[in-house]
């Protein structure tokens, strides 16, 4: 299969955990800003940083259980209203106090950046344990909520294991079922080893994805794994195979990652926490990645890349960045890559230009 693996960087500043929504000819980008929920709105995704209207729709009051470390906000239109789902923590207790919260906005027929927003609190009847990266999706006519959490039986508040949970929603702010574990970090590529005997098994950032045929060929969750502070961060697949979504047997994990950085590649590094949009029948992933393998949590910039679909499911080339150990393009090209110069072939430049053109148009003109 011929696959165009062009990657387009769409922000020059850190915009970790990017989530993009399309509405009435505009792109709406949310990301982890830390102390607020901010939405960027633009008719061009390729130029969203320079062209966007920027709106802070929520700044939490100080001294509450949800005042700090606002992570991974997502904007969703559900049941006639705009909602934002995000994680937040209590400043007195730090990371272990992260829980999922919901904001309610204007009617879904209106621009989400123009109306009033209100704090709705936690999702009612959701288990009270560490939870981040919540996302909402419809499956079989029902609304579901997937998130990353520590195991409920975790008296020491250990952060070494993160699992993926799912629960059914009665409405956008109320759980209608217990939370069920549908994925635990079992593959070697889901685990980050510190070298001192400490291993982090991480599943987080779930995002629902359907093939362009409406999910007939493939539907399921794309998730992130490995340490988000490392260049080993990557994305994997959890396919929905049918049946009750609350049954763990209804989900099948891929044997290999969907996309990761080449072992000896030039970057971007640590591709993860992606969201997905469909433009003109093409599926595009928007995820964060860093420019160097040592950036850690800094410089996680939003990138865009096409997603193809094969008989096995979504395909993104499996790895990013030219392999410096291979002689494709010669020594001069590899040296340019190391020095941050282009070093791209004409075909690669043309592919990147094509992707920029796709994302530079208003979504209603694609």
């Amino acid at each position: 299969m011929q696959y165009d693996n062009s990657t387009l960087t769409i922000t020059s500043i850190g915009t970790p955990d990017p989530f993009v929504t399309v509405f009435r000819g505009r792109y709406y980008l949310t990301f982890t800003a830390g102390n607020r929920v901010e939405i960027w709105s633009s008719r061009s995704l390729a130029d969203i940083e320079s062209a966007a209207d920027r709106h802070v729709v929520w700044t939490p009051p100080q001294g509450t259980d949800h005042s700090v470390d606002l992570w991974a906000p997502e904007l969703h239109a559900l049941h006639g209203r705009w909602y934002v789902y995000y994680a937040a923590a209590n400043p007195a207790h730090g990371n272990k106090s992260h829980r999922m919260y919901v904001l309610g906005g204007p009617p879904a027929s209106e621009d989400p950046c123009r109306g009033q927003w209100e704090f709705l609190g936690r999702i009612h009847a959701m288990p009270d344990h560490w939870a981040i990266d919540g996302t909402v999706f419809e499956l079989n006519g029902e609304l579901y909520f997937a998130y990353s959490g520590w195991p409920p039986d975790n008296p020491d508040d250990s952060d070494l294991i993160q699992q993926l949970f799912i629960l059914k929603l009665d409405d956008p702010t109320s759980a209608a079922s217990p939370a069920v574990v549908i994925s635990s970090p079992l593959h070697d590529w889901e685990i980050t080893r510190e070298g001192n005997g400490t291993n982090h098994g991480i599943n987080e950032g779930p995002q629902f994805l359907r093939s362009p045929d409406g999910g007939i060929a493939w539907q399921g969750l794309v998730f992130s794994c490995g340490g988000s502070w490392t260049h080993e961060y990557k994305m994997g697949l959890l396919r929905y195979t049918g049946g009750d979504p609350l049954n763990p047997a209804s989900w099948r994990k891929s044997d290999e990652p969907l996309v990761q950085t080449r072992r000896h590649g030039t970057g971007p590094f640590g591709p993860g926490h992606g969201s997905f949009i469909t433009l003109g029948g093409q599926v595009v992933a928007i995820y964060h990645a860093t420019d160097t393998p040592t950036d850690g949590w800094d410089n996680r910039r939003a990138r865009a890349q096409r997603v193809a679909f094969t008989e096995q499911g979504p395909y993104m080339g499996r790895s990013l960045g030219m392999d410096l150990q291979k002689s494709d393009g010669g020594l001069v090209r590899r040296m340019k890559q190391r020095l941050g110069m282009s070093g791209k072939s004409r075909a690669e430049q043309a592919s990147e230009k094509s992707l920029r053109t796709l994302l530079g148009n208003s979504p209603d003109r694609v």
Side-chain angles (χ1 to χ4, degrees), residues 1 28 39 42 106 114 155 160 172 183-184 198 216-217 270 292 308 326 330:
M1 180 191 71
Y28 294 84
I39 303 175
S42 173
R114 301 299 178 185
L160 297 182
S183 178
S184 296
T198 301
I216 297 174
T292 75
K326 295 183 179 180

Side-chain angles (χ1 to χ4, degrees), residues 71 95-99 127-132 147-150 161-162 165 204:
W71 292 351
N95 180 42
K96 67 180 182 180
S97 66
H98 265 107
R99 301 293 187 272
D128 184 22
H129 69 132
W130 187 89
I132 64 169
Y147 65 96
S148 176
W150 291 346
I161 298 294
Q162 288 176 226
F165 294 78
E204 62 184 19

Side-chain angles (χ1 to χ4, degrees), residues 4 6 306 345-356:
D4 180 356
S6 302
R306 290 180 176 90
S345 68
R346 290 183 178 180
E348 289 171 325
Q349 292 176 7
S351 294
E352 186 173 302
K353 182 178 180 180
S354 172
L355 183 57
R356 172 170 285 279

Side-chain angles (χ1 to χ4, degrees), residues 18-203:
F19 183 86
V20 176
T21 302
V22 175
F23 176 70
R24 289 189 177 175
R26 300 185 72 86
Y27 299 96
Y28 294 84
L29 169 68
T30 57
F31 56 92
T32 293
N35 63 352
R36 66 194 183 279
V37 174
E38 183 172 329
I39 303 175
W40 293 5
S41 170
S42 173
R43 291 194 176 275
S44 167
L45 185 57
D47 302 305
I48 195 167
E49 183 177 353
S50 60
D53 297 326
R54 305 185 185 191
H55 304 267
V56 176
V57 300
W58 175 250
T59 301
Q62 296 301 303
T64 74
D65 59 0
H66 55 93
S67 293
V68 298
D69 294 337
L70 281 64
W71 292 351
E74 293 191 5
L75 175 67
H76 293 270
L78 302 166
H79 295 191
R81 189 181 187 186
W82 287 106
Y83 294 89
V84 167
Y85 296 83
Y86 67 102
N90 186 326
H93 300 290
N95 180 42
K96 67 180 182 180
S97 66
H98 265 107
R99 301 293 187 272
M100 288 301 307
Y101 294 90
V102 189
L103 303 177
S109 59
E110 300 178 7
D111 186 332
C113 294
R114 301 299 178 185
Q116 296 296 313
W117 285 84
E118 62 175 328
F119 179 69
L120 301 179
R122 296 186 191 177
I123 295 177
H124 306 305
M126 182 176 169
D128 184 22
H129 69 132
W130 187 89
I132 64 169
D133 296 352
T135 193
V136 182
F137 57 94
E138 187 174 292
L139 188 57
N140 302 333
E142 302 283 355
L143 206 58
Y144 291 90
F145 185 76
Y147 65 96
S148 176
W150 291 346
D153 184 15
N154 187 22
D156 297 327
D157 290 325
S158 170
D159 63 357
L160 297 182
I161 298 294
Q162 288 176 226
Q163 301 169 309
L164 295 185
F165 294 78
I166 189 173
L167 55 81
K168 184 186 289 187
L169 291 176
D170 187 50
D171 58 54
T173 62
S174 302
S177 78
V180 177
V181 176
I182 55 172
S183 178
S184 296
L186 301 177
H187 292 302
D188 189 65
W189 48 266
E190 298 175 276
I191 299 171
T192 292
R193 306 183 190 281
E194 297 284 4
N196 58 2
T198 301
N199 298 331
H200 298 267
I202 297 174
N203 284 181

